[in-house]
Amino acid sequence: MTYSKDMTTQQHTTTDAGLASELRLAVMRLRRRLATERHPDNDLSLGAMAVLAALCRRGEMTLGALADFERVQPPSMTRTVNCLEKGGYVARRPSDTDRRQVLIAITDLGRVTVAADRERRDAWLAKRLGGLSADERAVLRAAVPIFERIANE
Amino acid sequence: MTYSKDMTTQQHTTTDAGLASELRLAVMRLRRRLATERHPDNDLSLGAMAVLAALCRRGEMTLGALADFERVQPPSMTRTVNCLEKGGYVARRPSDTDRRQVLIAITDLGRVTVAADRERRDAWLAKRLGGLSADERAVLRAAVPIFERIANE
DNA sequence: TATTGTTATACTCTATAACTATA
DNA sequence: TATAGTTATAGAGTATAACAATA
């Protein structure tokens, strides 16, 4: 394997091979940037808010389904749900059909919190998005479902 | 390059307000997915590999500049660089002009490691990218520099 | 006095392994 | 015996605060 100038010094990606690396690093950095934009008004972590948003959109889910969806192991999700339950953002109930399963549902407080969080974060990100051209926003809008697909494959 | 209707009409994000939320959650999940795709052949973390890649591309940098670039605090970068130095992937040297500063440079081993890691990860992600249409790959390629811009703003 | 980097310490998130209870 | 979830424990990564060396 040779290390040509292109491979080590290029600014943007023009090849499919480079795309994977570039995308990976870009996603990492953007995620860290988003994580540091912290919220003052509630005590929930980024991960907890993501779970809340999932429940808000998809309705009641089992703990296992939530763990799969968020790509974490069940013990991690138990921890997150404990945190959310203690704050009154979600409620647990045993499944009627299989009493090993636990169904998690969002509460009214949870819904309000999701809406407020979305508004606040959108304000931050939207400010950045506002600096983009219409074409660039279109790129991001198109990228979202592709990301979902890759992540869930 | 324009992103016309077929690429931008999605069921999820049709408004700019929703775009910020969707993008944020999608980035989080994809990042977690990428993080779980672990490497068997070296002992470096995702963050350490990102630092190595930055040094490979941009050349020698001070610790502070690296911290800024990767969006972490200086103590975190010190830790990461210690790890890289111990493994022989980078070398420290004091700056000639300002002896408070420490310059970090990638070694030959570091360069080889970056290339190998890139190849391996690309294989994983490229497999997913291979399942996409040419248009979809074009979207991702266009998204990368936009992400960089948002993250570094 | 201000700045660059390091050390000390603690917190958050995540994972694996062992356990409980249902199926 | 297998599965869903929990508890116990440990590791990785990050941050803030206090410190050292230099400007």
Side-chain angles (χ1 to χ4, degrees):
Chain A
M1 168 134 215
T2 59
Y3 308 98
S4 62
K5 212 173 172 191
D6 287 291
M7 224 184 130
T8 53
T9 61
Q10 72 183 167
Q11 278 302 316
H12 297 311
T13 48
T14 49
T15 66
D16 277 3
L19 176 56
S21 294
E22 296 295 335
L23 183 59
R24 179 166 47 81
L25 296 173
V27 164
M28 277 185 57
R29 269 197 287 275
L30 180 55
R31 182 264 177 188
R32 201 168 314 154
R33 185 74 175 91
L34 291 170
T36 56
E37 273 309 310
R38 281 268 166 175
H39 40 278
D41 38 309
N42 77 51
D43 55 338
L44 298 177
S45 73
L46 208 64
M49 281 309 310
V51 169
L52 218 47
L55 289 171
C56 192
R57 161 181 288 182
R58 300 163 59 108
E60 205 173 41
M61 294 170 77
T62 67
L63 188 131
L66 263 180
D68 281 353
F69 185 68
E70 291 297 325
R71 292 271 163 195
V72 297
Q73 292 301 308
S76 301
M77 190 50 69
T78 292
R79 198 185 142 108
T80 301
V81 168
N82 284 346
C83 192
L84 287 168
E85 192 183 31
K86 195 150 58 182
Y89 301 104
V90 304
R92 274 185 171 92
R93 76 174 180 87
S95 163
D96 299 326
T97 56
D98 182 342
R99 279 164 56 189
R100 291 172 304 181
Q101 293 186 328
V102 175
L103 290 163
I104 322 290
I106 192 168
T107 62
D108 287 344
L109 172 60
R111 239 175 275 274
V112 169
T113 305
V114 166
D117 179 78
R118 181 164 298 175
E119 204 171 330
R120 185 169 31 66
R121 278 191 206 278
D122 284 359
W124 181 87
L125 189 49
K127 196 170 149 193
R128 270 78 196 165
L129 298 180
L132 304 176
S133 70
D135 266 7
E136 287 171 330
R137 278 196 297 273
V139 167
L140 297 186
R141 201 172 296 121
V144 167
I146 302 175
F147 281 7
E148 304 282 5
R149 190 137 38 103
I150 294 173
N152 290 321
E153 212 168 300
Chain B
M1 176 190 286
T2 58
Y3 300 89
S4 52
K5 230 182 342 184
D6 51 344
M7 294 178 77
T8 57
T9 304
Q10 305 294 336
Q11 17 174 311
H12 296 337
T13 51
T14 48
T15 67
D16 276 2
L19 176 56
S21 294
E22 296 294 337
L23 182 59
R24 180 166 46 82
L25 297 173
V27 165
M28 276 184 57
R29 269 198 288 275
L30 180 55
R31 184 263 177 189
R32 205 169 307 153
R33 185 75 175 89
L34 291 169
T36 56
E37 271 312 309
R38 281 268 165 176
H39 41 279
D41 39 306
N42 77 51
D43 55 338
L44 298 177
S45 72
L46 207 66
M49 282 308 310
V51 169
L52 219 48
L55 289 171
C56 192
R57 162 180 288 183
R58 297 163 62 107
E60 204 172 41
M61 293 171 77
T62 67
L63 188 132
L66 263 180
D68 281 353
F69 185 68
E70 290 298 324
R71 292 272 162 194
V72 297
Q73 292 299 309
S76 302
M77 189 50 69
T78 291
R79 201 183 140 107
T80 301
V81 168
N82 285 345
C83 192
L84 288 168
E85 191 183 31
K86 195 152 57 183
Y89 302 103
V90 304
R92 275 185 170 93
R93 75 173 180 89
S95 164
D96 299 324
T97 56
D98 182 342
R99 282 164 54 188
R100 292 172 305 182
Q101 292 186 330
V102 174
L103 289 163
I104 322 290
I106 192 169
T107 62
D108 286 344
L109 172 61
R111 239 175 276 273
V112 169
T113 304
V114 165
D117 178 78
R118 181 166 297 175
E119 205 172 332
R120 185 167 31 68
R121 280 191 205 277
D122 283 0
W124 181 88
L125 188 48
K127 198 170 148 192
R128 269 79 196 165
L129 297 181
L132 303 176
S133 70
D135 269 5
E136 287 171 328
R137 277 196 297 274
V139 166
L140 297 186
R141 200 172 297 120
V144 167
I146 302 176
F147 281 7
E148 303 283 6
R149 189 138 38 106
I150 294 173
N152 290 322
E153 211 168 302

